[in-house]
Amino acid sequence: MLILQAINITMSYGDHNVITVPFSLDVYSGDKIGIVGMNGAGKTTLLRILFGEIIPDRGFVKFHSDVHFFRQTEENLAPLDREFSKTHREFCDFNIENPEALSSGQITRLKLADVFSKNGILYFIDEPTSNLDLSGKKLLLEKMRTLSSYLLICHDRNLLDLCCNKILEIEKGKVTPYTGNYSYYIEEKKRIFKKMEKEYFSYMEEQKRLNLVYKEHIQHAEKVRKKPKDKGKQIAGRIMGGRSKDTKQKAIQSAAKATMVRMEREEIKEKPHKNEVISIEFSRNDPPENKIVIRIEGLTFGFGEKILFDDVNLYVQNKQRLAILGDNGIGKSTLFRLIVQGYEGILAAPKVRFGYFVQDLSSIDLSKTVYQNALEKNIQDISRARTILRRMLFSVRDLDKPAFVLSGGERVRLALVKLVLSGANLLVLDEVTNYLDIPSIEAIEELLSNYPGTLLFTSHDLQFVKAIATDAVKIENGKIMPYSNFSVVHDIMS
């Protein structure tokens, strides 16, 4: 059953193309569509056009059902009254006697529950995961599996994989459809890239061949032109039906011209962009040689009567990438802070130099430019630093921007660049993926996958954990519990 139809939508601000949908976007009952693209690409704008809040310059939208819209805005995080909270107690599964004390993640759960309770056919869901921990995401997944149809903007690739059967990509304002989940979309993009690469190299080979033929024709014509004239032979040639020197030269020139025309008519194939490999000269960081670089033995810590850690032991190996998992408020950030500060019961190897990413982004000097910030503690060579900046999605024009104009996501990327370029040899990253779009998360994944030092991190993005971590532990009931089988982490949300 067709429930929404958007035909040839175009939206511009001045000369800037915001959204172009060069096809009929038909949404049927059972369609579960993920919308992906960089922050600012126009994802929310597209939903608002489809919802009827924004009138496009061209095209129109037809509704064949009601639409319920979850918006990831401040109004979703407004204070809640007790009766509203009690209505959705089952979805949230926590104490709601004091609604004003609820965390942003808890409020998001309640607002999602309210939208899902409408029992509609079609839902628009804009970034529901930003404030959710793993248990919240799992609960969200369970609820979304009960919905008939939706358009979902989400930066959690695991959720896009498990929830969606179609993908809409917005890139440079153009909307492109793909059938399948997020993983299929990525594989299809790779297939398209390889096809473009093959076509480009075939095009260049053909251009090379035609250019050689053209040069041979030109050289041949020049030889004919320089050859001395023999009037007797020319007359004899005409009598015998042969061609004169001038006629032969013109024929060769005509062939050369035909080759040139063929070269010009060949469909131009652009070389697909291939990213530079990120490399770090880690010997400059004087890395520790100890097998165990962090040793935690008998750690007990809490606030007042609340015990976060009770006689905890943990050993972090050299070059290990260890994910620390657990729900919000369980103590992950506290553990990182205690490690960096060298709290009683925590020992670091003598050469360890921590690079600590904190969520307040206090490492960014807002009075300096992007480039000045990046080089502030840089120990790598300049070309390598510039490569890392490019791979972290900073263009040449971005380098001269003052840091105070950067978005939250741009500041996260810059803070991480500063750490990687510094003399740190053990990175501690506290929720580095919060509020980032998928291209930014994937850029950070690549950077950290090529980081040769030890890494401690936490993230609620399971795809990120899967891509980066060599091992994982979880904080639960005051203890740090290892996953005996790391694949368990990959299956938490399935």
Side-chain angles (χ1 to χ4, degrees):
M1 180 177 71
L2 184 65
I3 53 180
L4 185 147
Q5 189 175 36
I7 300 175
N8 295 327
I9 298 296
T10 300
M11 181 74 194
S12 301
Y13 292 141
D15 295 332
H16 175 60
N17 175 50
V18 178
I19 289 289
T20 298
V21 187
F23 56 92
S24 178
L25 174 55
D26 300 330
V27 181
Y28 292 87
S29 179
D31 282 348
K32 300 179 178 183
I33 303 172
I35 303 175
V36 301
M38 295 187 70
N39 284 343
K43 301 186 294 293
T44 299
T45 299
L46 176 61
L47 282 189
R48 293 183 65 196
I49 290 172
L50 297 179
F51 195 63
E53 289 183 349
I54 297 177
I55 306 301
D57 299 328
R58 288 183 53 202
F60 59 91
V61 180
K62 288 183 179 180
F63 295 92
H64 302 282
S65 75
D66 292 334
V67 180
H68 302 292
F69 201 158
F70 172 83
R71 308 166 189 271
Q72 186 55 275
T73 61
E74 288 303 316
E75 69 180 69
N76 280 96
L77 303 180
L80 308 174
D81 61 50
R82 186 169 300 176
E83 291 307 313
F84 178 91
S85 302
K86 286 181 178 178
T87 302
H88 304 297
R89 181 195 297 269
E90 182 181 356
F91 183 82
C92 296
D93 191 27
F94 53 74
N95 186 346
I96 52 173
E97 291 306 313
N98 182 13
E100 293 184 358
L102 298 180
S103 69
S104 57
Q106 291 167 336
I107 294 173
T108 297
R109 287 192 187 195
L110 286 172
K111 293 290 188 179
L112 284 165
D114 185 54
V115 171
F116 293 163
S117 69
K118 307 298 184 185
N119 296 320
I121 296 176
L122 179 61
Y123 294 82
F124 289 177
I125 307 170
D126 189 358
E127 268 305 324
T129 63
S130 293
N131 297 293
L132 297 182
D133 55 22
L134 290 179
S135 63
K137 288 182 179 182
K138 188 168 186 178
L139 194 55
L140 172 63
L141 173 62
E142 291 171 0
K143 290 294 180 180
M144 290 191 68
R145 281 174 168 166
T146 69
L147 304 182
S148 170
S149 315
Y150 48 78
L151 276 74
L152 168 68
I153 297 174
C154 184
H155 295 156
D156 190 299
R157 295 158 296 171
N158 199 59
L159 198 68
L160 289 169
D161 259 351
L162 296 172
C163 288
C164 297
N165 52 30
K166 293 182 179 179
I167 297 292
L168 293 178
E169 177 197 62
I170 304 180
E171 186 174 21
K172 297 179 180 178
K174 183 182 178 182
V175 179
T176 305
Y178 294 83
T179 300
N181 64 8
Y182 183 80
S183 290
Y184 175 83
Y185 153 73
I186 291 298
E187 289 304 313
E188 185 67 4
K189 292 276 284 185
K190 290 178 182 177
R191 187 192 68 79
I192 291 171
F193 179 87
K194 288 180 180 178
K195 181 174 180 288
M196 290 174 61
E197 196 172 45
K198 184 178 179 180
E199 289 177 348
Y200 170 76
F201 286 119
S202 295
Y203 165 76
M204 292 303 293
E205 284 296 317
E206 180 64 4
Q207 287 288 300
K208 183 178 178 181
R209 186 188 71 81
L210 291 173
N211 191 50
L212 184 62
V213 171
Y214 172 76
K215 287 181 177 179
E216 287 175 348
H217 283 318
I218 294 298
Q219 289 171 357
H220 192 187
E222 185 66 14
K223 286 180 181 179
V224 171
R225 185 185 68 81
K226 290 182 177 179
K227 190 175 181 181
K229 291 184 179 180
D230 188 325
K231 291 185 178 180
K233 286 185 178 180
Q234 282 184 323
I235 296 171
R238 282 195 292 271
I239 295 172
M240 299 298 294
R243 292 185 298 175
S244 69
K245 174 181 172 182
D246 291 343
T247 304
K248 188 175 182 180
Q249 185 181 1
K250 287 179 180 177
I252 297 171
Q253 289 173 339
S254 178
K257 185 177 180 181
T259 303
M260 177 60 72
V261 169
R262 185 176 173 185
M263 288 174 64
E264 292 173 348
R265 288 180 177 176
E266 281 277 313
E267 183 183 354
I268 296 175
K269 302 290 183 182
E270 298 290 340
K271 185 176 182 179
H273 175 70
K274 201 165 190 175
N275 291 326
E276 302 162 271
V277 176
I278 294 175
S279 64
I280 300 166
E281 185 55 59
F282 202 57
S283 61
R284 299 185 180 189
N285 298 59
D286 191 22
E289 299 172 1
N290 309 59
K291 184 176 180 180
I292 302 296
V293 291
I294 297 177
R295 187 183 302 269
I296 301 177
E297 295 179 339
L299 172 65
T300 298
F301 184 85
F303 298 102
E305 296 181 357
K306 183 178 181 181
I307 301 298
L308 290 177
F309 306 108
D310 181 18
D311 195 25
V312 162
N313 298 318
L314 179 66
Y315 305 95
V316 181
Q317 299 177 30
N318 204 335
K319 297 185 179 180
Q320 187 177 27
R321 295 178 187 149
L322 183 63
I324 311 289
L325 304 180
D327 289 341
N328 288 337
I330 204 71
K332 302 185 298 295
S333 296
T334 300
L335 178 63
F336 285 165
R337 188 165 58 252
L338 296 177
I339 289 173
V340 172
Q341 292 174 352
Y343 187 77
E344 182 181 353
I346 301 177
L347 295 175
K351 286 187 176 182
V352 165
R353 291 195 298 274
F354 290 107
Y356 187 22
F357 176 91
V358 291
Q359 296 182 48
D360 65 6
L361 300 176
S362 55
S363 64
I364 302 295
D365 188 336
L366 299 181
S367 67
K368 294 182 178 179
T369 66
V370 168
Y371 195 55
Q372 288 169 338
N373 267 283
L375 298 186
E376 193 172 38
K377 296 181 180 179
N378 176 46
I379 66 168
Q380 303 291 318
D381 59 73
I382 296 298
S383 63
R384 187 171 276 114
R386 284 182 170 272
T387 296
I388 290 175
L389 281 163
R390 280 195 298 272
R391 297 298 299 114
M392 290 295 282
L393 310 181
F394 289 106
S395 67
V396 173
R397 288 193 304 173
D398 290 333
L399 299 185
D400 291 328
K401 283 183 180 178
F404 71 82
V405 305
L406 299 180
S407 68
E410 289 172 322
R411 293 184 190 187
V412 168
R413 288 190 269 117
L414 180 56
L416 194 55
V417 168
K418 290 188 69 169
L419 288 184
V420 170
L421 293 178
S422 74
N425 52 38
L426 194 158
L427 299 186
V428 179
L429 310 178
D430 189 4
E431 285 294 351
V432 72
T433 58
N434 269 3
Y435 303 105
L436 294 182
D437 56 31
I438 292 176
S440 296
I441 293 173
E442 291 176 341
I444 290 174
E445 276 181 8
E446 184 190 5
L447 180 67
L448 296 180
S449 294
N450 287 283
Y451 182 72
T454 307
L455 179 62
L456 280 177
F457 73 99
T458 184
S459 174
H460 294 311
D461 186 317
L462 286 179
Q463 289 280 57
F464 182 79
V465 172
K466 179 180 177 180
I468 300 301
T470 56
D471 302 276
V473 296
K474 60 180 176 181
I475 302 176
E476 191 173 69
N477 298 323
K479 300 293 184 181
I480 297 180
M481 312 294 293
Y483 283 103
S484 56
N485 183 355
F486 181 48
S487 65
V488 172
V489 178
H490 306 167
D491 301 330
I492 289 174
M493 287 275 289
S494 61

